[in-house]
């Protein structure tokens, strides 16, 4: 008879004694202190590096083979540490703060320590308690730095549980933390914690944003980007993003400076950019481009003289009308006729009143801004394009005005201007951090590409949409190579001429050619099960290798990870928390928790996931929803995932469905199946090259009238 489901075999450590192997009931594990006097002063906790306490909420998570430790209760431990950190002995105080930083990761301990007004005690120590040691700093610098580092670490861990509101902190505390950002630039741990605190303050409270913004500016943060520590650079960009995100629109324009030289130092360093840094750069890229949204959604006012003057300036630069006197001797009708002719040459749809071309949003006034930037900063190229097209026949001219408007709209769609940054995306483009006016320069390169492609296609006005499609394909293909600079992007486009695009399209069509003849379809049906089995084995092998997943919450992006992998016999899922992102595979024995595959009841995705039904910011994020999946087991057990990207999402959902004997339905499986089927069929048909395969099998010939031609060997 199998043992009850709530009975688990564990080892329990006792200070000063050998560990004991015993069976405990999960229902009573949190009060498993049988014969001890004052049992309310004791509790069980995990004996691994987490040191998390066993409570009513998490006791069901105890697994067979777990190692537990009998120790003082969270309340007792919190009371002792509360007293120890106020010790007059520097050594005792330092050791107590080190223990506090470690225990504060556990929400049960954190709740007890906060109930003792522990947060206030830590803030007082930061505001004034460390002042008494300032005089000793020169002779006890390592001790002072460690003490402050552990204090700030404990504070960050306690606040991350979301128990205490960020609105309760004083200006004195904010000033002290802001001063650490400048004062302790050489002390990595203090600087890192200080930046993390500033980021959380800004993101979690509007009032605190205003106070922080008064104490520290983006200019003061820039020097930290020029160091060599990538983690400090990541936290610095995170604070810049937070200030950027919470700033009012008018201040955001001022703060929205790329500081391209500083960011080039980050991007062009000789080391690889980690995922967190890539995410922060992506967020900064999105927030920077979102500054364009206001102009993109602003219609031109045909009655606004200042806006109309921009159009006059475009005409003046192109046709050198500057020398014309303001009070021309010609009639008003003659000048209007001349303006209409010039606006037609500039490629506007409305020749009489070009302002009407900019009333559509998007791209609104942003298109006119781009045109003026191109005319002023790339004047030779601008004049050449306008004059080239004005000298062509009407049907072959590339309309500069119309092209610029449609191109601006296309670039906004490609860069997703106006959309909020995703919690999980790392897709940034290094070239946009190499110039303070990167979007305008991006436009200038692309408008010249459009004119070049127009000529290569020998297009007419009827081909306008076809040209725009080709240009979009050229831009997208060049962006996928992640050029490190705008010049490199330009050279990539040079190699993607219209002729090259046609070759690529033809090659892709040949590779994706779908043979529809009956023999080929029958062959596909025959070999499809083999291909699906091959895909299934690949998915399961990837699950055996395992994946590192990031822990996310609604407060801020965390540097916390957990790893999950399938056992080689495909019977158990091993998982557990990690301190940092691993460089390779994580061995099974270092993952504390296990889930038998036989216990899995279902795999759900997207909105059906339990962690996506909870209230919070993640629920509103479409991209996170698309990467979320959960394993449901037992009566109410669940294992929640947010995949690092779409590829890993498909691999894991396919692999889990394969383990449960269900069909693999992901887009990745469909693509792999199409690719592998096509390759296999082409390999099998190599000997039939240039031979026409009939739609129907050849007819079976009639039987001969006699079999006299048969020779009997016997």
């Amino acid at each position: 008879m199998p043992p009850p489901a709530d009975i688990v075999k564990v080892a329990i450590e006792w200070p000063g004694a050998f560990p004991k192997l015993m069976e405990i009931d999960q229902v009573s594990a949190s009060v498993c202190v049988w014969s001890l006097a004052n049992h309310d002063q004791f509790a069980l906790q995990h004996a691994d590096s987490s040191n998390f306490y066993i409570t009513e909420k998490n006791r069901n998570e105890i697994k067979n083979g777990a190692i537990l430790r009998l120790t003082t209760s969270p309340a007792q431990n919190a009371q002792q540490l509360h007293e120890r950190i106020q010790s007059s002995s520097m050594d005792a105080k330092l050791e107590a703060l080190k223990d506090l930083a470690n225990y504060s990761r556990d929400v049960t301990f954190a709740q007890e320590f906060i109930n003792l007004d522990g947060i206030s005690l830590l803030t007082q120590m930061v505001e004034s308690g460390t002042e008494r040691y300032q005089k000793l700093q020169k002779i006890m610098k390592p001790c002072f730095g460690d003490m402050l580092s552990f204090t700030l670490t404990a504070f960050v861990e306690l606040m991350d549980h979301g128990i205490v509101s960020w609105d309760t902190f004083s200006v004195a505390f904010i000033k002290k933390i802001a001063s650490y950002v400048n004062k302790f630039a050489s002390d990595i741990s203090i600087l890192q914690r200080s930046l993390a605190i500033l980021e959380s303050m800004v993101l979690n409270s509007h009032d605190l944003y205003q106070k922080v913004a008064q104490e520290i500016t983006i200019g003061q943060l820039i020097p930290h980007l020029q160091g060599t520590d990538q983690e400090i650079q990541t936290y610095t960009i995170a604070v810049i993003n937070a200030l950027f995100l919470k700033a009012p629109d008018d201040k955001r324009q001022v703060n929205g400076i790329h500081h391209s030289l500083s960011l080039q130092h980050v991007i062009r360093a000789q080391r690889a950019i980690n995922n967190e840094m890539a995410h922060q750069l992506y967020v900064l890229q999105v927030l920077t481009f979102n500054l364009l949204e206001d102009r993109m959604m602003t219609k031109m006012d045909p009655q606004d003289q200042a806006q109309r003057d921009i159009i006059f300036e475009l005409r003046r630069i192109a046709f050198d009308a500057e020398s014309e006197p303001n009070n021309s001797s010609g009639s008003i009708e003659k000048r209007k006729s001349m303006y209409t002719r010039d606006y037609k040459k500039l490629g506007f749809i409305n020749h009489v009143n070009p302002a009407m071309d900019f009333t559509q949003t998007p791209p609104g006034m942003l298109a006119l801004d781009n045109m003026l930037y191109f005319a002023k900063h790339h004047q030779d190229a601008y004049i050449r394009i306008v004059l080239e097209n004005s000298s062509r026949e009407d049907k072959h001219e590339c309309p500069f005005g119309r092209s610029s408007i449609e191109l601006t709209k296309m670039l906004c769609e490609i860069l997703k201007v106006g959309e909020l940054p995703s919690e999980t995306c790392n897709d940034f483009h290094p070239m946009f951090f190499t110039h303070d006016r990167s979007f305008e320069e991006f436009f200038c390169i692309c408008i010249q590409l459009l004119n070049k492609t127009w000529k290569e296609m020998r297009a007419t006005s009827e081909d306008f949409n076809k040209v725009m499609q080709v240009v979009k394909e050229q831009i997208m293909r060049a962006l996928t190579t992640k050029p490190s600079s705008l010049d490199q992007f330009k050279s990539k486009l040079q190699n993607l001429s219209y002729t090259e695009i046609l070759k690529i399209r033809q090659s892709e069509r040949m590779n994706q050619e779908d043979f529809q003849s009956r023999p080929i379809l029958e062959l596909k049906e025959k070999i499809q099960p083999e291909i699906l089995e091959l895909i299934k084995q690949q998915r399961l092998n990837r699950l055996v290798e395992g994946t590192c997943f990031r822990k996310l919450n609604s407060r801020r992006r965390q540097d916390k990870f957990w790893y999950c992998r399938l056992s080689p016999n495909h019977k158990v899922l091993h998982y557990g928390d990690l301190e940092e992102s691993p460089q390779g595979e994580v061995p099974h024995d270092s993952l504390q928790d296990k889930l038998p595959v036989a216990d899995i009841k279902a795999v759900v995705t997207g909105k059906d996931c339990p962690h996506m039904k909870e209230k919070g910011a993640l629920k509103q994020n479409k991209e996170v929803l698309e990467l979320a999946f959960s394993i449901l087991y037992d009566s109410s057990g669940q294992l929640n995932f947010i995949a690092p990207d779409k590829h890993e999402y498909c691999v894991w959902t396919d692999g889990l469905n394969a383990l449960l004997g269900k069909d693999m339905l992901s887009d990745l499986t469909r693509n792999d199946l199409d690719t592998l089927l096509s390759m296999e069929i082409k390999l099998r048909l190599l000997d039939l090259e240039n031979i026409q395969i009939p739609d129907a099998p050849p007819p079976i010939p009639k039987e001969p009238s006699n079999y006299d031609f048969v020779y009997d060997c016997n």
Side-chain angles (χ1 to χ4, degrees), residues 318-319 345-346 381-391 400:
F319 303 111
K345 289 180 180 179
L346 279 169
Y382 167 69
I383 293 172
R384 186 183 68 251
I385 288 176
V386 172
L387 295 183
E388 260 184 19
N389 289 291
S390 63
S391 62
F400 174 74

Side-chain angles (χ1 to χ4, degrees), residues 305-316:
Q305 187 59 43
Q307 294 179 0
R308 292 172 64 188
D309 285 345
I310 298 176
I311 298 177
F312 291 149
E313 182 68 5
L314 289 173
R315 176 188 168 276
R316 184 195 66 77

Side-chain angles (χ1 to χ4, degrees), residues 68-84:
L68 307 181
R69 181 188 299 119
L70 191 61
T71 185
T72 53
S73 67
Q76 187 84 356
N77 195 10
Q79 181 65 49
Q80 291 173 1
L81 279 173
H82 191 272
E83 294 170 0
R84 287 171 57 201

Side-chain angles (χ1 to χ4, degrees), residues 343-349 357-358 363 366-368 370-371 374 385-386 389 392 396-412 443-444 446-455 459-461 463-465 467-469 471-472 475:
Y343 291 146
K344 184 179 180 181
K345 289 180 180 179
L346 279 169
F348 291 113
I349 297 174
D357 288 14
F358 300 95
L366 184 60
L368 188 58
N370 283 339
M371 292 167 72
F374 181 51
I385 288 176
V386 172
N389 289 291
R392 292 182 195 169
H396 285 292
E397 69 174 356
C398 176
F400 174 74
R402 182 185 176 191
S403 299
S404 298
I405 292 168
E406 289 301 319
L407 180 63
T408 301
K409 183 179 179 181
M410 180 201 294
L411 298 183
C412 289
F443 168 84
C444 294
C446 293
I447 192 65
Q448 294 177 74
L449 168 73
L450 193 154
N451 188 64
K452 173 175 170 283
T453 303
W454 184 282
K455 289 188 289 185
T460 63
S461 54
D463 301 320
F464 185 85
N465 290 332
V467 176
M468 295 303 295
Q469 289 173 3
V471 169
K472 184 174 184 179
I475 294 169

Side-chain angles (χ1 to χ4, degrees), residues 346-357:
L346 279 169
F348 291 113
I349 297 174
N350 193 317
H351 307 150
V352 178
N353 186 6
M356 299 303 297
D357 288 14

Side-chain angles (χ1 to χ4, degrees), residues 559-575:
D559 284 316
K560 295 182 179 177
F561 305 89
W562 68 289
Y563 200 88
C564 186
R565 63 180 299 181
L566 181 66
S567 63
N569 62 7
H570 300 174
K571 291 185 178 180
V572 178
L573 282 172
H574 298 264
Y575 62 96

